[in-house]
Amino acid sequence: MTFADLHLHSRFSDGTYGPDEVVFHARRQQLAALSLTDHDTIEGCAPTAAACAGAGIEFIPGTELTAEQDGDEVHILGYCIDTGDHKLLAEISKFQAVRQDRIREIVSRLNRLGVPLTAEAVFTMANCRAPGRPHVARALVKAGLCSTLDDAFARFLKKDRPAWVPKFKMSAAEAIGLIHRADGLAILAHPGLNRTDDVIPAVVDAGLDGIECFHSKHSPSDTARYMEAAGFYRLLITGGSDCHGSSKGRPLIGTVKLPYFYVEQLKAKAARRQGQAPVPPPVSTLS
Ligand code: AMP
Ligand code: FE
Ligand code: FE
Ligand code: ZN
């Protein structure tokens, strides 16, 4: 049986691996296909596609958009997207500017609390266009102002802690619309992690194509419940580890192995949307 991991982060958002390292680990796990799903960016897709081509691994272009539904944060994965779509790129760059402003606001809250961190230290640490709280946490640890990433989140950065700043989010319907406009498919990421079962019907109404049923933070009963929901709503099933590299201890890549059958279903639906015959995987992944 061949397997895929359709939820991976890199240095282009809050992961620690560059494209070559993502692909190195994917190869070690004998994955036939992978998708890079960095938060609010698609910058890493081209270099990761090139690294995959060199390793005989099939690459699915992806992203993970931050959105909201009925006041709850939801993450919408976009797969098989056209990474050259101008509207998608323009909207993404707006969300990146929002993320950068939010870093400045988090830092000024930290400064008011007497924590002498600079926004520049965070931007240097992030070295990407979509900085987030994990980069603030890493900068705090590097400067010796917090002992661990968990310490930084627990003391300052978690929701309702003193340096927490809410993030402007598009609606789930807008995120799904953007992904569709870029010829992609929209999947609800890790509903078990965000505890967002209640929003599933509304997100389905907004045009959702699938649910991420397999995820490193889903229990077997979560997975069973979301598989049932996917069947009920006739949605695609996807899965991935949500590996962020080595920032949170052992890398998660390889802990969720999505049977390749589900990738075929995903590609078949994307091809139907795009009015094309489905693209077969590279020959080397079939051996
Ligand atoms: P942001 O997009 O800036 O709100 O940051 C969200 C990211 O922070 C998530 O994708 C996780 O990768 C990370 N994160 C959230 N909570 C924690 C935590 N307690 N410890 C470490 N990382 C966390
Ligand atoms: Fe993340
Ligand atoms: Fe997520
Ligand atoms: Zn993720």
Side-chain angles (χ1 to χ4, degrees):
M1 188 121 95
T2 49
F3 297 98
D5 187 333
L6 298 184
H7 194 149
L8 297 166
H9 293 272
S10 77
R11 245 184 245 144
F12 288 96
S13 68
D14 57 350
T16 61
Y17 292 156
D20 288 341
E21 288 162 294
V22 170
V23 173
F24 170 82
H25 287 279
R27 202 171 182 174
R28 226 167 58 172
Q29 298 296 333
Q30 299 185 305
L31 297 176
L34 67 83
S35 181
L36 190 71
T37 53
D38 275 321
H39 301 284
D40 301 322
T41 188
I42 50 176
E43 266 181 288
C45 285
T48 306
C52 279
I57 294 175
E58 182 178 3
F59 179 73
I60 311 282
T63 188
E64 182 175 14
L65 301 179
T66 313
E68 84 185 311
Q69 179 68 49
D70 302 326
D72 283 325
E73 177 162 326
V74 292
H75 292 181
I76 307 287
L77 293 159
Y79 290 121
C80 306
I81 43 175
D82 170 5
T83 52
D85 183 81
H86 291 298
K87 170 92 171 151
L88 179 66
L89 288 166
E91 289 299 315
I92 277 180
S93 78
K94 275 196 227 162
F95 293 116
Q96 292 171 349
V98 166
R99 278 182 170 275
Q100 290 159 20
D101 289 345
R102 178 170 173 247
I103 297 293
R104 291 189 191 91
E105 178 61 28
I106 291 174
V107 168
S108 74
R109 288 194 190 202
L110 285 168
N111 294 163
R112 270 180 260 144
L113 293 162
V115 181
L117 190 74
T118 64
E120 281 60 42
V122 180
F123 292 134
T124 303
M125 172 61 69
N127 192 27
C128 70
R129 292 182 192 158
R133 287 178 294 160
H135 301 116
V136 181
R138 285 178 213 163
L140 283 167
V141 172
K142 187 172 177 224
L145 297 164
C146 286
S147 54
T148 60
L149 300 179
D150 278 344
D151 177 41
F153 270 91
R155 275 165 65 197
F156 300 118
L157 302 172
K158 266 198 338 206
K159 186 160 191 269
D160 299 330
R161 297 305 295 156
W164 179 73
V165 175
K167 186 166 50 178
F168 167 80
K169 303 176 212 62
M170 65 185 128
S171 70
E174 283 169 310
I176 293 168
L178 262 183
I179 290 165
H180 283 168
R181 239 200 68 106
D183 280 343
L185 297 173
I187 310 292
L188 180 64
H190 48 60
L193 177 61
N194 288 19
R195 304 191 182 285
T196 46
D197 288 20
D198 294 350
V199 307
I200 291 176
V203 186
V204 171
D205 278 347
L208 194 74
D209 298 290
I211 300 181
E212 185 177 51
C213 298
F214 300 96
H215 183 274
S216 50
K217 297 283 175 347
H218 280 176
S219 67
S221 76
D222 286 335
T223 299
R225 190 166 72 255
Y226 299 128
M227 299 273 282
E228 198 181 316
F232 178 77
Y233 291 111
R234 297 178 171 277
L235 297 173
L236 294 164
I237 288 164
T238 71
S241 63
D242 209 352
C243 181
H244 284 70
S246 56
S247 70
K248 300 176 191 168
R250 198 170 76 88
L252 292 170
I253 186 167
T255 60
V256 172
K257 288 193 157 152
L258 181 75
Y260 187 79
F261 162 78
Y262 294 113
V263 180
E264 278 172 343
Q265 305 247 305
L266 180 77
K267 288 199 299 175
K269 180 156 187 199
R272 283 199 299 276
R273 262 199 89 84
Q274 295 159 16
Q276 297 164 4
V279 183
V283 174
S284 58
T285 64
L286 294 172
S287 60

